[in-house]
Amino acid sequence: IGNGVALNIPVLFNEVKSITDKGVPMPKILVSDRAQMVMPYHVLFDQYEEERLGGKSFGSTKSGIAPFYSDKYAKIGFQVSELFDDEAALRDKIERVIASKNVLLEYLYKKPLLTVDEVYNTLMEYKEMVAPFVCDVSAYLYNAIKEGKHILLEGQLGSMEDPDHGIYPMVTSSSTLAAYGAIGAGIPPYEIKQIVTVCKAYSFVSEIFGEEADELRRRGGDGGEFGATTGRPRRMGWFDCVASKYGCRIQGTTDVAFTVLDVLGYLDEIPVCVGYDIDGEVTTDFPTTAKLKKAKPVYKVLPGWKQDIRGIKKYEDLPENCRKYIEFIEEQIGFPITMVSNGPKRSDIIYRGFNN
């Protein structure tokens, strides 16, 4: 777990327990001493702000992410390494940190105030949980690179959630681009050789509604398209070549993993968004948010394949219209689709020129 992670220690160890309780061996976990911790008050501030904004809220997952990053860049967050500082120094910092927070709690949110003892005790609980796993992750990865080992960095959110390049302000609070992986892991940027971008075979910018959306949502993913954290129904839409081409470009994509293709097997025809009509002009370039609000999707309708494709292992064995759908999208986005997911299992992947 690299320095760039927003580390919620209880959540991490609850996740670990959830798999070890099922008989999975305890994984070898290393936690960066430079990672910063999500505190309980970050979660509370996230909830309080959503309550205050009411109908104008950002739809936060209420996990404390925005308050966490606010503190990190205001230099009042807590690094894992500070858990091992002496008590006096840590209490002194806590007192300084909560002073401004208590002003907001008392006068803006009208909520209970924080105390030094409360925050200190929480940090000591975190120390006991994480201490056996703390190390210099950057040095560990650097040595792995020197030894010729393969390193896989995982990003959770997509291009459109990036605060600089995404649909601002409906974004997250840290960079979601592959380039940031080098910073978040503490490795040289030139060591990132391959960037696999995951694209679903359907999208949400070219949004659909009603029964059409409900059907696609019900069939999608492992158990339907619902938020992993919130459980909220996800917005559904036909594949958006404009947004996907842009997302792949800013990620520096070398390979596209095209997922949940099997979900579309019930459709007679499949619309694909190939452009945006903005004030009467059609563009294939992804716009800023102000212009995006006015964009109307321009569709190309492709024939469906009306067939269950789960279990197929070779690309050439896919139905002809299914292959044509993949190849049309590949041509539109300009990046190679080298993996195709045709089912929920780890083995349900068709490799198509992927170099691993």
Side-chain angles (χ1 to χ4, degrees):
I1 296 178
N3 54 275
V5 171
L7 178 62
N8 189 318
I9 289 177
V11 169
L12 168 64
F13 287 101
N14 283 337
E15 286 185 5
V16 171
K17 187 175 184 300
S18 73
I19 61 170
T20 55
D21 283 352
K22 295 174 183 175
V24 177
M26 176 68 184
K28 182 181 178 182
I29 296 173
L30 302 178
V31 176
S32 173
D33 50 7
R34 295 180 181 271
Q36 294 209 15
M37 296 171 286
V38 178
M39 298 296 293
Y41 55 74
H42 290 141
V43 178
L44 291 175
F45 272 89
D46 206 352
Q47 294 170 356
Y48 298 159
E49 183 64 5
E50 288 288 290
E51 289 172 12
R52 188 184 72 84
L53 291 172
K56 296 181 179 179
S57 70
F58 292 103
S60 167
T61 60
K62 300 178 184 178
S63 303
I65 299 303
F68 164 85
Y69 280 104
S70 295
D71 280 5
K72 180 174 182 176
Y73 294 113
K75 297 175 283 291
I76 56 171
F78 288 96
Q79 274 193 350
V80 168
S81 62
E82 292 178 275
L83 295 174
F84 306 92
D85 205 347
D86 65 79
E87 180 175 346
L90 191 52
R91 283 183 175 274
D92 180 64
K93 178 174 178 177
I94 293 169
E95 189 170 8
R96 286 184 283 110
V97 168
I98 68 172
S100 59
K101 298 193 179 299
N102 281 338
V103 172
L104 292 173
L105 289 169
E106 184 173 2
Y107 296 105
L108 181 63
Y109 298 123
K110 316 293 186 189
K111 300 291 185 180
L113 306 187
L114 300 170
T115 68
V116 172
D117 284 344
E118 173 192 1
V119 175
Y120 180 80
N121 290 339
T122 296
L123 289 171
M124 290 303 97
E125 290 173 10
Y126 290 179
K127 177 182 178 180
E128 185 175 348
M129 296 168 71
V130 80
F133 309 99
V134 176
C135 72
D136 185 340
V137 167
S138 175
Y140 176 83
L141 293 176
Y142 181 72
N143 290 330
I145 291 170
K146 287 171 60 178
E147 293 168 11
K149 295 182 178 179
H150 288 107
I151 297 171
L152 175 65
L153 307 177
E154 181 189 11
Q156 182 199 4
L157 298 172
S159 306
M160 298 306 162
E161 296 277 359
D162 188 80
D164 289 306
H165 298 281
I167 308 173
Y168 187 87
M170 307 305 289
V171 294
T172 191
S173 302
S174 64
S175 179
T176 61
L177 303 186
Y180 189 79
I183 299 167
I187 62 173
Y190 53 79
E191 293 295 352
I192 297 179
K193 311 294 187 187
Q194 190 173 25
I195 297 169
V196 179
T197 301
V198 179
C199 289
K200 287 184 178 177
Y202 45 83
S203 187
F204 74 87
V205 176
S206 47
E207 190 169 6
I208 56 177
F209 303 92
E211 291 183 9
E212 191 176 40
D214 290 340
E215 178 71 2
L216 187 56
R217 184 181 297 111
R218 183 182 64 79
R219 291 172 176 267
D222 292 343
E225 290 290 352
F226 299 91
T229 301
T230 64
R232 290 191 298 243
R234 289 179 176 144
R235 295 166 63 184
M236 306 299 295
W238 306 122
F239 190 86
D240 187 335
C241 293
V242 180
S244 298
K245 178 178 72 171
Y246 171 74
C248 288
R249 175 171 67 80
I250 60 172
Q251 291 286 1
T253 298
T254 60
D255 298 81
V256 173
F258 201 49
T259 67
V260 291
L261 185 65
D262 54 298
V263 170
L264 302 179
Y266 71 100
L267 294 163
D268 293 307
E269 294 182 326
I270 308 172
V272 177
C273 175
V274 295
Y276 294 163
D277 184 325
I278 302 175
D279 294 331
E281 292 188 12
V282 176
T283 182
T284 58
D285 295 322
F286 192 79
T288 56
T289 307
K291 291 182 179 179
L292 184 64
K293 292 175 182 176
K294 299 188 286 184
K296 299 175 183 177
V298 176
Y299 290 113
K300 167 83 172 178
V301 179
L302 301 179
W305 47 92
K306 297 293 288 183
Q307 183 178 331
D308 184 1
I309 60 171
R310 290 189 180 185
I312 295 175
K313 298 299 182 184
K314 294 180 180 179
Y315 182 74
E316 58 268 25
D317 292 339
L318 288 171
E320 181 182 3
N321 284 349
C322 182
R323 297 197 308 272
K324 285 183 176 180
Y325 179 77
I326 295 166
E327 290 158 18
F328 176 80
I329 286 173
E330 183 178 58
E331 181 183 3
Q332 291 289 310
I333 65 176
F335 293 88
I337 296 174
T338 59
M339 286 180 279
V340 176
S341 162
N342 62 330
K345 298 177 183 177
R346 294 178 68 178
S347 57
D348 290 334
I349 298 175
I350 299 170
Y351 292 97
R352 183 174 174 264
F354 178 68
N355 180 20
N356 60 352

